[in-house]
Amino acid sequence: MSALVVLFNLKNASSKAAYEAWAKETDVPTASKMSCVDDFKVFRLGNVMGTENPSPYQYCEVLQINDMTKLGEEASSEAMQKVAAQFQSFADNPMFIISEQIA
């Protein structure tokens, strides 16, 4: 099983409430309809464990992917391109990390 992990902060002009509402109402439901996505969770990140220091990122999205090739195909759909553009309006230089489960 692979996962796509997305770490990001919001752009200065983006409000947390607006992003979180959009993630719940648009991003997760739309991306979850792709046949290559088994699960999609969005996390608001807090402090680094054992410290009072905040995480360097405000949010983390984790998509469980059953077929990475199909992800590329399905992500190019008109609906997903619209969601991707909306995401880019919220996220400041997001980092997309492909991961593979080992245990």
Side-chain angles (χ1 to χ4, degrees):
M1 173 75 59
S2 297
L4 178 61
V5 178
V6 186
L7 299 170
F8 62 98
N9 293 312
L10 296 178
K11 292 180 178 176
N12 289 335
S14 298
S15 84
K16 290 180 180 182
Y19 164 72
E20 291 180 12
W22 174 82
K24 292 174 189 173
E25 297 165 9
T26 303
D27 191 20
V28 173
T30 305
S32 294
K33 290 179 184 174
M34 291 190 294
S35 67
C36 64
V37 175
D38 288 340
D39 192 32
F40 183 6
K41 302 259 192 280
V42 179
F43 300 90
R44 182 185 322 116
L45 303 178
N47 288 346
V48 174
M49 190 169 174
T51 76
E52 294 183 20
N53 300 324
S55 164
Y57 296 100
Q58 294 172 301
Y59 292 93
C60 176
E61 295 184 349
V62 180
L63 294 89
Q64 296 291 330
I65 307 296
N66 59 48
D67 186 332
M68 291 303 288
T69 302
K70 198 174 261 192
L71 173 64
E73 296 167 6
E74 293 183 331
S76 65
S77 73
E78 186 176 330
M80 282 309 302
Q81 287 299 301
K82 181 178 177 183
V83 168
Q86 292 169 344
F87 175 75
Q88 290 296 334
S89 74
F90 286 110
D92 183 20
N93 197 27
M95 185 182 313
F96 294 82
I97 304 167
I98 298 171
S99 63
E100 186 175 333
Q101 184 173 343
I102 60 168

